[in-house]
Amino acid sequence: MNLIVFTSSYPYVRGGEQNFLNVEVRHLLDEFDRVIFVPETVEGSRFGDLFNAEVDVSYAEYLASHSVYTIFLKGLFSPLFRQGMMESNFPLFSYKAYRRLVSFAGKAEITHQWVINWLDRQKLNGQDCLFYTYWFDQASGGISLAKRQVPELKLVSRAHGYDVFEEQYYDPPFFPCRAAVLELIDRVFPASFAGKTYFIDHYRFFSALFETALLGVPDPGFLSRSSQDGVFRMVSCSMIRSEKRVERILEAVLQAALLRPGQHFEWTHVGNGVTRDELQNLANKKFPANAKAFFSGYSDNTALLQLYRDEPFDVFINVSETEGTPVSIMEAISCGIPVIATAVGGNVEIVSTQNGILIGPNAAGEEISSAMFYLIDHPGEAETKRKGSRYIWETRYNAHLNFSDFARRLKEIRLES
């Protein structure tokens, strides 16, 4: 059996897919004779060791060979364009909605053509193949069109954040051709329980198609330490972008340090962004003597885990306004670090009173600093939450267990009549 995996860029280093697929590929190879990665873009360096998986860059080249004008024309005459306009949630009076729909349909048509040509070049029939899209996007749409010609092929997709929650990511809030694609896809695997609930609420007629498939991270092989010198140490990890609201953590640390001048605070933020130096300078200028901030810039997974091994941390903080299922929190809890996080998206599934503190979706400095004070003032409970973090990783976000189960499920779907 052949598994064809459509990705945004993997195995090329661009985005965060490698955080999961580097582990998942081993389990996919246990179940399928061939695993072929088909990236949409091929920018940047490429991972060297794919454990005998193959890579086909012809799809990326084929997409890049089409101009914006060609994509527009293909989209305009695609059956997906007509179907998309007929769907109940399509905003008929929005220019942006039509533009989004045309782009989706055009790229789906190009994907459709590539799939049919690829099957012919490979001398494969649909019964030999399971197509797996890592994102529930236009690649899924294009392969669903190919299924109209080759009904025996199977198609599944993961779904994460932007490809699930329409209201959070789009204005107007709709994702093109959902019903049209769902009519032909075999399964959709949201990476969170919230994602599955969202899909069922919005596309109830297709509820049998949705199965939660949690992601995960490997066992780091150690547990992080708490501080023993009276300093309260915090860590956060994300790109510095507006939706991550890193500046709110800065405000909270400042407020906490001013309210408790006898308590020392240290905050490390891992991640890059255009305002990193600005935030570092602001912290240097505004923080009193009992608080420090370190903006360490980009770090790969290996270096991040080494930081968690070498340095004590008392809490991981995430104050994003929207999240899918953040790998940064999975990594933190795998090391036994308690978490303070906003109650948004998949955060509410990873963080609970067992391993941390959930704060309001729009929590500002005072609420964040209050959560810090709670952990400082209740050291016994903070230690219990450390154990809770590790337990939640072991039982819910263990990569090898989750990806092994997922690979077996994919094989079952391909074997279904």
Side-chain angles (χ1 to χ4, degrees), residues 15-242:
E17 291 170 325
Q18 69 271 13
N19 291 320
F20 303 112
L21 283 169
N22 275 348
V23 182
E24 185 174 321
V25 61
R26 308 176 200 182
H27 300 283
L28 298 175
L29 285 162
D30 287 340
E31 303 294 338
F32 290 87
D33 301 314
R34 293 174 70 194
V35 174
I36 305 160
F37 286 103
V38 180
E40 183 178 328
T41 59
V42 293
E43 300 172 6
S45 58
R46 172 177 156 177
F47 288 103
D49 189 357
L50 298 179
F51 308 97
N52 297 318
E54 303 170 43
V55 181
D56 192 324
V57 300
S58 64
Y59 174 61
E61 294 168 348
Y62 190 57
L63 276 174
S65 70
H66 290 77
S67 67
V68 174
Y69 178 70
T70 304
I71 293 171
F72 173 81
L73 287 179
K74 285 183 177 293
L76 202 59
F77 291 99
S78 169
L80 281 177
F81 179 71
R82 295 187 293 276
Q83 287 180 276
M85 285 193 298
M86 298 295 292
E87 293 190 359
S88 59
N89 66 337
F90 181 72
L92 287 169
F93 302 103
S94 169
Y95 166 74
K96 288 194 294 185
Y98 283 99
R99 186 173 62 184
R100 195 184 311 156
L101 175 58
V102 170
S103 176
F104 179 95
K107 291 177 180 177
E109 283 293 340
I110 294 167
T111 305
H112 166 214
Q113 293 166 6
W114 182 88
V115 168
I116 297 301
N117 293 337
W118 185 85
L119 287 170
D120 184 59
R121 289 196 310 271
Q122 296 281 327
K123 295 182 170 44
L124 294 172
N125 61 57
Q127 292 177 333
D128 297 324
C129 300
L130 175 65
F131 284 81
Y132 159 26
T133 57
Y134 201 72
W135 306 91
F136 191 30
D137 58 10
Q138 67 272 359
S140 311
I143 301 166
S144 76
L145 289 174
K147 279 198 69 170
R148 300 182 186 188
Q149 287 180 252
V150 189
E152 63 270 23
L153 70 78
K154 298 272 189 174
L155 167 63
V156 301
S157 181
R158 281 197 184 270
H160 305 267
Y162 87 89
D163 50 351
V164 180
F165 304 105
E166 299 167 28
E167 291 83 2
Q168 292 182 23
Y169 288 89
Y170 300 101
D171 179 25
F174 95 104
F175 200 98
C177 305
R178 276 290 190 240
V181 178
L182 288 169
E183 285 177 2
L184 290 163
I185 202 166
D186 294 282
R187 292 292 189 286
V188 178
F189 293 97
S192 65
F193 297 105
K196 179 181 177 180
T197 299
Y198 180 92
F199 276 139
I200 290 174
D201 288 346
H202 287 71
Y203 303 98
R204 190 166 297 277
F205 183 77
F206 301 101
S207 59
L209 294 176
F210 306 121
E211 298 181 21
T212 303
L214 298 177
L215 299 169
V217 296
D219 188 348
F222 66 91
L223 292 176
S224 174
R225 298 170 289 122
S226 58
S227 298
Q228 300 299 317
D229 57 359
V231 179
F232 186 71
R233 291 181 172 86
M234 301 149 283
V235 62
S236 52
C237 179
S238 71
M239 290 291 291
I240 302 175
R241 299 194 300 249
S242 59

Side-chain angles (χ1 to χ4, degrees), residues 264-285:
H264 285 266
F265 299 87
E266 289 185 5
W267 166 43
T268 299
H269 181 80
V270 181
N272 249 333
V274 294
T275 61
R276 179 167 71 94
D277 290 341
E278 178 183 332
L279 288 170
Q280 181 69 74
N281 291 334
L282 186 63
N284 293 344
K285 179 180 178 181

